[in-house]
Amino acid sequence: MSTPYEPDMPRTMKVRGKALRTGWTTGTCASAAAKAAAEALVTGVAPEVVEVALPSGNRVTFAVDSCRIGDGRAEAVVIKDAGDDPDVTHGAHLTAAVSWRDEPGIELDGGVGVGVVTKPGLGLELGGPAINPVPRRMIQQAVGESVDLNTRGVRVVISVPDGEKMARKTTNKRLGILGGISILGTTGIVRPFSTASWRASVEQAVSVMAAQGEKTLVLCTGGRTEQGAMAMLPKLPDVCFVEVGDFTGAALRRAVEHGITQVVFVGMAGKLTKLASGVLMTHYTRSKVDTALLGEITTAIGGPDDVAAQVAEANTARHAYELWESAGLLGRAGRELCRRVAGVLERFAEDEAAKVPGANGVAAQVVLVDFTGKRMIAMYGRLAR
């Protein structure tokens, strides 16, 4: 049984003395470019700024870098600002070309620099552009604010000059996304999860919770899982929920220091697979999903050898999840995955407690949720009431 560990962050990631600046996802910037191009197509006037809605309902304004109009077509560019996140797409020129089409509604496609999906497990259509569901909805809403899509039709093509070059610095090729970057985002906002300062903010959140006398810490990998966890545990105060990002080890260490005795971890298949492998620092540059482990889990729960082999060779953890689901194994496999994660978390906390006089370990409960973050698929562990 391997010892849980935390890979070091890249040396270039320094702790800053001031709060980090948030930025905008490629999805938000693409929606702003699409809004600008649609407005220009309708009015014949190139806008200098546009306002778009985030999934939260909040609205933000973007400067339009450039806009061209002509021959039933308009093209607009918005430059991505990733804030203080070390994002390879910072400064990317998100470009939207909008033209009329005969049928009402919107047709969305990817152009130069936007990757094409070639492998399963991403929740996107094979052969289609790597534009994730939330950005798709944002783009449709943004365009619909300028064009009545019930009566008129438009074709929207999102492109990113130099996107193929940017993608070389990502894991896209390994995931089967070829030819460019992905248009991503679930909240529309880039938070600096990947920096040492984000780690400090996680530790601070745990400390704040402990200072209020709470004993159950709920660690969530992101915004969607946090919302789902709050719905599952409605009696816990909001301070108990910490959006941990990649810093599970740091959060557990601080929990042990403060005498927190119960930890609930809520996550999707990818993060749980990394944790089950014993990796407590799950940033993509420091660790990878081990689908061979998921194949082993398939065998351990009595799954057929052919399914275990397919899972072991899966493209992503999501692909493995889908294979389990198709084979009717998702509940059992998910629970075993949760069991292994709980073991890792408890061993790590026990090791940390040994370094702190009088400290105790933690009891861990682990919940696997679906890819909306809202539905519980499997759970392992029981917390004291």
Side-chain angles (χ1 to χ4, degrees):
M1 184 178 293
S2 60
T3 301
Y5 70 103
E6 289 182 285
D8 291 334
M9 292 297 288
R11 293 189 299 274
T12 53
M13 293 186 179
K14 312 262 185 206
V15 176
R16 303 190 183 201
K18 61 180 181 179
L20 289 175
R21 203 167 51 84
T22 57
W24 307 110
T25 62
T26 48
T28 301
C29 297
S31 73
K35 170 81 173 283
E39 187 175 315
L41 184 63
V42 171
T43 65
V45 178
E48 295 183 359
V49 296
V50 290
E51 183 184 85
V52 295
L54 299 177
S56 65
N58 294 330
R59 297 184 69 84
V60 289
T61 301
F62 288 85
V64 180
D65 182 68
S66 64
C67 186
R68 296 183 294 176
I69 310 167
D71 297 328
R73 180 179 184 274
E75 181 179 281
V77 177
V78 169
I79 298 177
K80 176 175 174 176
D81 178 3
D84 285 328
D85 192 70
D87 189 325
V88 298
T89 60
H90 177 71
H93 286 57
L94 274 295
T95 305
V98 179
S99 56
W100 299 116
R101 69 173 196 149
D102 294 336
E103 296 181 8
I106 185 171
E107 176 189 352
L108 180 61
D109 203 354
V112 173
V114 172
V116 175
V117 178
T118 66
K119 293 184 180 180
L122 297 167
L124 296 172
E125 181 183 355
L126 291 179
I131 303 175
N132 280 18
V134 172
R136 286 174 182 268
R137 291 195 293 270
M138 292 177 70
I139 291 167
Q140 180 165 352
Q141 180 177 346
V143 171
E145 292 177 358
S146 295
V147 179
D148 181 358
L149 296 175
N150 292 317
T151 59
R152 302 209 69 178
V154 292
R155 183 169 190 265
V156 179
V157 179
I158 305 297
S159 59
V160 185
D162 295 324
E164 186 169 7
K165 183 177 179 181
M166 293 173 188
R168 295 172 193 163
K169 299 178 182 179
T170 73
T171 58
N172 274 14
K173 184 176 180 181
R174 181 169 58 86
L175 298 177
I177 299 173
L178 305 182
I181 65 168
S182 305
I183 306 301
L184 301 171
T186 55
T187 65
I189 301 170
V190 173
R191 293 185 176 90
F193 288 116
S194 17
T195 65
S197 290
W198 179 256
R199 172 178 174 155
S201 74
V202 167
E203 293 171 336
Q204 184 181 47
V206 177
S207 297
V208 168
M209 177 207 138
Q212 296 188 38
E214 298 294 338
K215 293 298 183 183
T216 300
L217 170 64
V218 185
L219 300 178
C220 313
T221 52
R224 285 179 291 172
T225 51
E226 184 178 59
Q227 290 174 11
M230 286 180 170
M232 293 173 206
L233 300 165
K235 294 184 180 180
L236 287 179
D238 289 354
V239 72
C240 293
F241 297 84
V242 175
E243 200 171 329
V244 74
D246 295 307
F247 298 105
T248 303
L252 284 175
R253 186 177 296 111
R254 185 58 58 91
V256 168
E257 291 171 358
H258 285 296
I260 294 170
T261 55
Q262 301 190 136
V263 172
V264 181
F265 191 97
V266 181
M268 300 177 193
K271 292 289 188 192
L272 293 191
T273 303
K274 291 184 178 185
L275 291 171
S277 301
V279 181
L280 274 294
M281 200 287 124
T282 54
H283 189 268
Y284 77 94
T285 63
R286 303 293 96 185
S287 60
K288 290 182 169 56
V289 170
D290 181 9
T291 53
L293 172 68
L294 302 180
E296 178 192 327
I297 285 175
T298 309
T299 299
I301 64 164
D305 290 344
D306 61 333
V307 176
Q310 291 176 47
V311 169
E313 296 297 323
N315 183 40
T316 61
R318 179 169 186 149
H319 186 197
Y321 174 107
E322 291 169 352
L323 290 169
W324 280 342
E325 190 170 33
S326 296
L329 300 173
L330 183 56
R332 281 185 289 155
R335 188 173 188 277
E336 175 63 13
L337 176 60
C338 290
R339 186 190 71 81
R340 295 190 183 203
V341 173
V344 168
L345 300 183
E346 290 178 353
R347 290 199 305 275
F348 182 85
E350 186 177 345
D351 291 344
E352 292 301 314
K355 304 172 187 176
V356 181
N360 297 307
V362 303
Q365 183 181 71
V366 179
V367 180
L368 169 65
V369 293
D370 68 4
F371 294 98
T372 70
K374 297 178 181 178
R375 186 167 66 95
M376 182 173 68
I377 300 300
M379 180 181 70
Y380 180 86
R382 178 177 295 178
L383 302 181
R385 295 186 181 275

